[in-house]
Amino acid sequence: LRSVVEAALANNIDLQLARLQPVISHESVVQAEAAFDLVLGAGSSRQHSKTPQQRAIVGNVPLGASESTRETWDFDGSLAKSLQGGGTVSLTTDLTRTSSDASGTTYDPNPAWSGVGTIGLDQPILRGFGRDVTLADIRLAGILEAQDIEALRGSFQNVITDTESAWWNLAMQWRTLQVQLWLLEVGMSVADVLEIRRDYDTSPADYAQAVATVEQRRSEVIQQQQAVQNASDALKVLMNDPVLPLSGSSILRPSGLMEAGEISLSPRESIMTAMAHRPDLRQLAMSIDREAIDVEVADNAMLPALDLQAQLSFQ
């Protein structure tokens, strides 16, 4: 029985699927926490232009340049972070390099550099304010992960229970088959004895009844063999052991006996233990916590929007 349960815990298909869900839920927690990571942005652009210009002509001599050339490079960077209080703080910078060229014209400085830096703060005061609201997605994702872990615990318990039940059912089917084989053997012995005594004290009706009983028991043996096969296949499905595939012709046969030790439990202790550890009850309690968070977020969404914005720039 122990080896069968260990095989089921290691290979059962339902458990393999159930193990994936907590991993997926954990990634949702990481995704929700990523909303408070630093966000770095950077970019650059280049603009090159040639602009025709009017020129004055004095004595058939043009004065000034016929066109001006201007090249501008722009570099910008930003760093922003969402705060757990609901606000956002940002730091941005913009650096521009301008180079101009026109015949007969001098620019100073050339190239010219200009930079702008800005520090900004956006903070909601009513709607969207507070850790309870801003961290709601993280808390919900964490509860969902915990619920999936409890569901996995429940799946483990179900697989263990189903496997043990299937093992005992197979043991019972084998024992029933042994009894029916013994009854068939006894019936055949009785029929053989009656056949020998047909010329003495056995009536045709008694002999016919004995033969009919043998055939009936033979049919029951065949049916019971099928029941053993079905019970073996059911246990194979739960075990999903690659060494004992369902398509194989082998039939499992239980060995050993389960020994139960004496244990004393009071009704109160049993109820309190179930209340504290049953996966389905723990999931329900977590569902209440999720609903409470949704209520908090909904109540906050009913508040008017009032935001504080502050900005400091230097050039």
Side-chain angles (χ1 to χ4, degrees):
L1 176 59
R2 182 181 182 87
S3 62
V4 167
V5 172
E6 290 177 351
L9 292 178
N11 304 309
N12 184 268
I13 296 179
D14 293 336
L15 279 184
Q16 293 180 12
L17 295 177
R19 286 188 178 97
L20 296 178
Q21 194 58 45
V23 180
I24 298 175
S25 301
H26 178 71
E27 295 303 320
S28 298
V29 175
V30 175
Q31 181 180 4
E33 293 175 344
F36 296 94
D37 290 345
L38 288 172
V39 179
L40 175 65
S44 65
S45 61
R46 174 180 179 271
Q47 181 178 358
H48 185 82
S49 62
K50 291 183 178 181
T51 306
Q53 297 186 123
Q54 289 182 323
R55 294 188 299 174
I57 299 177
V58 178
N60 294 329
V61 177
L63 301 178
S66 61
E67 66 177 12
S68 62
T69 302
R70 186 181 183 90
E71 183 180 61
T72 304
W73 280 93
D74 186 79
F75 307 93
D76 62 86
S78 63
L79 189 63
K81 179 175 177 58
S82 297
L83 304 177
Q84 293 185 358
T88 302
V89 61
S90 60
L91 173 64
T92 60
T93 180
D94 193 337
L95 185 63
T96 303
R97 177 185 184 276
T98 303
S99 177
S100 302
D101 183 22
S103 177
T105 304
T106 302
Y107 296 92
D108 183 44
N110 190 30
W113 292 83
S114 63
V116 178
T118 303
I119 300 175
L121 172 65
D122 293 336
Q123 175 63 53
I125 299 178
L126 294 178
R127 184 192 304 171
F129 174 79
R131 292 169 55 91
D132 293 341
V133 177
T134 57
L135 300 180
D137 290 340
I138 298 178
R139 294 161 60 194
L140 290 173
I143 292 176
L144 183 59
E145 180 185 12
Q147 285 183 314
D148 289 336
I149 293 175
E150 291 300 325
L152 178 59
R153 290 180 61 241
S155 298
F156 272 104
Q157 295 178 1
N158 292 335
V159 168
I160 293 175
T161 302
D162 293 344
T163 303
E164 290 183 351
S165 298
W167 188 89
W168 280 109
N169 179 59
L170 180 59
M172 184 186 67
Q173 299 300 336
W174 270 105
R175 183 60 60 87
T176 303
L177 178 60
Q178 291 174 351
V179 172
Q180 291 183 348
L181 287 172
W182 177 79
L183 291 175
L184 175 60
E185 182 180 355
V186 172
M188 293 174 62
S189 299
V190 172
D192 292 340
V193 172
L194 293 180
E195 183 178 9
I196 295 174
R197 300 177 58 181
R198 288 177 63 184
D199 297 335
Y200 300 99
D201 55 358
T202 301
S203 65
D206 292 337
Y207 177 72
Q209 179 64 36
V211 173
T213 300
V214 169
E215 296 304 322
Q216 176 64 29
R217 292 178 179 177
R218 196 188 307 276
S219 174
E220 292 175 353
V221 167
I222 295 175
Q223 294 177 3
Q224 186 58 33
Q225 288 175 339
Q226 182 62 44
V228 170
Q229 176 72 60
N230 295 338
S232 176
D233 290 344
L235 187 56
K236 284 183 178 181
V237 170
L238 291 170
M239 294 173 58
N240 193 34
D241 194 334
V243 180
L244 300 170
L246 183 62
S247 58
S249 59
S250 60
I251 299 178
L252 303 181
R253 183 167 185 172
S255 62
L257 295 175
M258 176 185 289
E259 296 181 359
E262 182 179 355
I263 184 171
S264 177
L265 290 176
S266 68
R268 173 178 172 79
E269 291 178 352
S270 301
I271 293 175
M272 298 304 295
T273 302
M275 294 281 289
H277 298 289
R278 275 186 53 171
D280 54 345
L281 294 181
R282 291 170 64 90
Q283 284 181 287
L284 289 175
M286 294 176 187
S287 297
I288 296 176
D289 294 338
R290 291 184 59 188
E291 297 297 335
I293 295 175
D294 291 337
V295 170
E296 291 180 2
V297 175
D299 288 341
N300 182 268
M302 297 176 61
L303 297 176
L306 179 62
D307 297 343
L308 171 66
Q309 296 181 346
Q311 188 176 88
L312 174 64
S313 297
F314 55 90
Q315 183 172 1

